[in-house]
Amino acid sequence: MTHTVTTRTRASRLATIAAVLLIAAGLALPAFVDRSMIKDLFFILTMLTLAQYWNLLAGYGGLVSVGQQAFVGLGAYGLFGAAIVWGMDPVLALPLAGLFALAVAIPTAFFAFRLAGAYFAIGTWVVAEVVRLSIAQWKAVGGGTGTSLPRSVQADMTGTDFVGTLFGVRSAAAQDILSYWLALALAVATIGGIYLLLRSKAGLALAAVRDNAEAARAVGVDAGRMKWLVFLAASFGTGLTGALIYLQKGRISPEAAFSVTDWTAYVIFITVIGGIGTIEGPIIGILVFFVLQTLFADYGSTYLLALGMIGILVMLFAPRGIWGAITDRTGLQFFPIRRRLQKTPRPEP
Amino acid sequence: MTILELDHVSKSFGALKVTDDVSFTVAAGEALGIIGPNGAGKSTLFNLITGNLLSDRGSITLLGRDVTRISPMQRCLMGVGRSFQIPQPFSNLTVFENLVVAATHGRGLPEREVTDDCVRVLEQTELLARANQSAGSLSLLGRKRLELARAMATGPKLLLLDEIAGGLTEGECHALVDTIRAIHASGVTIVWIEHVLHALTSVVDRLLVLDFGRLIATGACDDVMARREVQEIYLGIDV
Ligand SMILES: Nc1ncnc2c1ncn2[C@@H]1O[C@H](COP(=O)(O)OP(=O)(O)OP(=O)(O)O)[C@@H](O)[C@H]1O
Ligand SMILES: [Mg+2]
């Protein structure tokens, strides 16, 4: 009798098929829907991606950051800088923008990792403020008031012509479709990448550290390295997403790009009400958030207050979020990571 | 060959001296027992050996290498496996996954290479039937076995057991002792802290007695237990 290990479940097999169909549908969608729908989907996909990275940090790495807006802003400004100062093609500059965020994440980690718990959270927020104030001094990209991407830069973007011809639309619509495709690719790569990470030996170590850091160290887990891995990956991804968001907006200012409400508070809300520490959680969370945003965003501060209330209620009555409540009742898992040991009978001779 | 050497090791918590100038060596293949009253500093000594605590003074040598200041993770990779006095399972992982963490990280192996070894350890520690159960749901005996299994999964040369038989019934204890004896017979060096003396002396060749952080006696089990100061201090008997 030998043994094999599997993580698959029936639901996950169905989820794989559903995911492939969804991605295909997502790619084809611009042929069937109007521009405002594409913009909504862009918003959903990018917020989902940000939420997945925050979930990786806080839910899996135990690093509760409230300064992720620093990396959104850095990525966005990295992109504007590369396009305006160096005249780079913004689509090609996206990865560079992620690296820009990563470069600041390294010294940030050296500082913030000396702090624990609430102090870590405050530390990340302080770093974000410092970064915002510093970027506001960068005159080439508009200083404190901000700037727009030059029209010529946007129109000449790699892929715009191709998309325009493919769907028979004008340049501005083609740019939206292109941004949407990039957001779709980024969301899929992020979810897929995080899922692969969680299923790997490193993911198992993350779970072990979360359960018991001292015992994890005693069995050879490099807990410090895991923190670095998670923090740097999340910063790079958050920076890349920030760059894409502002590529689509076409206009940037320090106030907006480093907004703690837009890029951290909403993202935490999405993750927490959906279910922290699961991949499914932020997916549910973004759908709920989008509905609330569409229906009530016009109510201004009342809306924010209501969001806060909903967040608190969910934390009180369903501390593991909506998805947590669903799995507790049904055992459903679309992204299973639990390894099961199975006996494999020897084949008949 | 010497596998472990402590040379004038001391550790204090504030004014409390918990390890007081302790020196001893453990030979490869040996089984050494450590006894002493509650609070004598036995678990602290383990934490110093594994690196979960750093000593204030003295040096610790493992397989000929000075490890006094290196991390628990590196010591684990060098071959130190330990069980915790109060079981510390990774509660949200399954029993099998607890072992996979230890086997992959404790030995630096890719995941696909450790399955067979983990299954062997599960069999040896009688946990195979519980492999897919979450570790948090185990009984006390199950948790004690998991402590042993997880330490074994790291492929230790030196196995440190901290009161692994405490709190078990006579029958449970007996089965666990058989497992430990088999592990020792397979060539693993064992240092075992235990209050359940008959279990301990049925496995170890040599005893070491701690009291108030000091090493007060060492030698063959019978000789040590016959010593007047050991009986006075450890058993609280006026002889
Ligand atoms: N982290 C710590 N900080 C302060 N004091 C500690 C710490 N760890 C242990 N001590 C104290 O050090 C002394 C020795 O503790 P230790 O756990 O090593 O004893 P022990 O011999 O293992 O006892 P037992 O048989 O009860 O397990 C005790 O007085 C304990 O309260
Ligand atoms: Mg103890």
Side-chain angles (χ1 to χ4, degrees):
Chain A
M1 197 77 93
T2 57
H3 289 80
T4 50
V5 182
T6 179
T7 52
R8 257 177 297 161
T9 61
R10 178 114 58 79
S12 79
R13 257 175 239 131
L14 291 175
T16 312
I17 298 167
V20 170
L21 293 177
L22 266 176
I23 293 167
L27 283 172
L29 207 61
F32 308 104
V33 302
D34 64 4
R35 235 179 115 184
S36 78
M37 174 98 171
I38 290 298
K39 282 188 171 168
D40 285 346
L41 285 170
F42 177 86
F43 173 77
I44 289 177
L45 288 168
T46 48
M47 289 305 275
L48 170 60
T49 306
L50 290 180
Q52 290 290 354
Y53 284 117
W54 191 81
N55 187 35
L56 174 65
L57 264 185
Y60 294 105
L63 296 168
V64 180
S65 163
V66 292
Q68 290 313 97
Q69 69 276 16
F71 303 111
V72 172
L74 281 166
Y77 269 98
L79 182 89
F80 273 57
I84 293 170
V85 181
W86 295 341
M88 265 185 88
D89 185 319
V91 173
L92 303 182
L94 281 170
L96 211 64
L99 290 177
F100 189 51
L102 186 66
V104 178
I106 294 170
T108 303
F110 272 114
F111 160 71
F113 285 178
R114 308 173 129 254
L115 310 170
Y119 293 99
F120 173 81
I122 295 166
T124 54
W125 180 76
V126 169
V127 168
E129 282 303 289
V130 171
V131 171
R132 178 175 68 85
L133 293 169
S134 313
I135 291 283
Q137 303 303 315
W138 190 3
K139 295 285 182 286
V141 288
T145 48
T147 188
S148 298
L149 270 186
R151 282 210 164 278
S152 60
V153 169
Q154 280 185 303
D156 295 346
M157 234 158 61
T158 305
T160 313
D161 281 347
F162 167 73
V163 174
T165 333
L166 189 64
F167 292 104
V169 291
R170 277 208 304 243
S171 171
Q175 282 160 32
D176 282 343
I177 293 175
L178 185 63
S179 301
Y180 159 76
W181 270 358
L182 289 170
L184 180 64
L186 186 57
V188 169
T190 298
I191 293 175
I194 290 177
Y195 183 45
L196 286 182
L197 172 75
L198 295 179
R199 279 180 47 160
S200 74
K201 160 180 170 180
L204 204 52
L206 277 177
V209 172
R210 197 155 53 140
D211 270 358
N212 193 320
E214 194 184 8
R217 270 190 282 272
V219 295
V221 171
D222 193 339
R225 208 181 81 196
M226 300 311 303
K227 280 211 303 197
W228 274 95
L229 175 75
V230 162
F231 190 75
L232 296 187
S235 306
F236 176 77
T238 303
L240 198 58
T241 315
L244 182 56
I245 291 171
Y246 279 89
L247 170 62
Q248 194 260 1
K249 286 188 194 290
R251 171 156 183 91
I252 199 168
S253 73
E255 290 305 321
F258 292 95
S259 159
V260 65
T261 313
D262 288 349
W263 311 128
T264 297
Y266 286 163
V267 162
I268 294 177
F269 177 84
I270 291 166
T271 312
V272 169
I273 63 157
I276 192 166
T278 62
I279 292 179
E280 295 90 339
I283 300 178
I284 306 260
I286 182 62
L287 298 177
V288 173
F289 177 71
F290 179 71
V291 170
L292 294 173
Q293 181 89 356
T294 321
L295 295 179
F296 305 117
D298 294 341
Y299 294 88
S301 54
T302 322
Y303 165 65
L304 290 180
L305 217 63
L307 277 192
M309 294 291 290
I310 294 174
I312 290 168
L313 286 178
V314 169
M315 278 189 251
L316 282 178
F317 296 107
R320 290 175 47 242
I322 298 172
W323 182 252
I326 295 175
T327 27
D328 283 350
R329 281 181 185 70
T330 60
L332 209 56
Q333 272 186 322
F334 291 119
F335 296 92
I337 51 176
R338 185 159 269 202
R339 292 154 180 77
R340 277 185 333 244
L341 190 65
Q342 288 179 327
K343 279 184 188 149
T344 36
R346 278 185 208 292
E348 298 286 322
Chain B
M1 194 187 78
T2 303
I3 193 162
L4 174 71
E5 179 170 3
L6 272 73
D7 188 29
H8 299 288
V9 172
S10 294
K11 174 76 187 175
S12 302
F13 293 116
L16 184 67
K17 201 151 203 180
V18 185
T19 307
D20 190 355
D21 199 27
V22 171
S23 303
F24 65 92
T25 60
V26 181
E30 193 183 344
L32 170 71
I34 297 181
I35 60 173
N38 291 111
K42 305 182 295 297
S43 297
T44 302
L45 197 59
F46 269 15
N47 285 329
L48 292 170
I49 297 171
T50 59
N52 288 82
L53 287 174
L54 289 180
S55 63
D56 299 335
R57 252 189 306 284
S59 71
I60 300 173
T61 311
L62 190 67
L63 293 157
R65 182 175 158 202
D66 185 345
V67 297
T68 315
R69 308 235 76 83
I70 77 169
S71 71
M73 178 203 87
Q74 284 169 294
R75 295 190 207 191
C76 174
L77 283 165
M78 287 179 70
V80 180
R82 64 121 16 125
S83 78
F84 287 92
Q85 180 172 352
I86 299 164
Q88 314 270 336
F90 304 128
S91 313
N92 293 307
L93 298 183
T94 66
V95 169
F96 173 64
E97 286 172 327
N98 268 261
L99 267 58
V100 175
V101 178
T104 51
H105 290 269
R107 292 159 68 189
L109 291 175
E111 197 174 332
R112 72 194 123 74
E113 284 177 27
V114 303
T115 308
D116 291 345
D117 281 343
C118 289
V119 170
R120 205 169 308 126
V121 173
L122 286 170
E123 273 168 350
Q124 187 176 35
T125 53
E126 295 175 38
L127 283 171
L128 190 55
R130 308 208 176 281
N132 295 323
Q133 195 169 320
S134 93
S137 71
L138 289 176
S139 65
L140 178 67
L141 176 65
R143 283 164 190 248
K144 295 267 186 183
R145 288 188 178 287
L146 180 56
E147 281 294 317
L148 180 61
R150 200 175 56 188
M152 284 308 292
T154 64
K157 298 188 179 78
L158 172 65
L159 179 62
L160 307 174
L161 301 172
D162 196 348
E163 298 197 22
I164 195 139
L168 300 183
T169 66
E170 192 70 16
E172 290 171 346
C173 181
H174 213 83
L176 200 63
V177 166
D178 283 344
T179 309
I180 293 169
R181 199 179 285 120
I183 288 169
H184 181 226
S186 74
V188 178
T189 309
I190 290 179
V191 179
W192 183 4
I193 296 172
E194 193 54 76
H195 284 303
V196 186
L197 276 182
H198 66 89
L200 185 65
T201 52
S202 73
V203 176
V204 305
D205 331 304
R206 193 159 71 95
L207 278 183
L208 197 146
V209 188
L210 276 183
D211 189 36
F212 290 113
R214 278 177 309 114
L215 195 63
I216 59 159
T218 170
C221 298
D222 293 343
D223 295 347
V224 166
M225 292 314 296
R227 299 262 282 273
R228 185 192 158 90
E229 65 268 33
V230 173
Q231 298 207 339
E232 271 178 10
I233 292 165
Y234 183 65
L235 302 169
I237 303 169
D238 273 326
V239 189

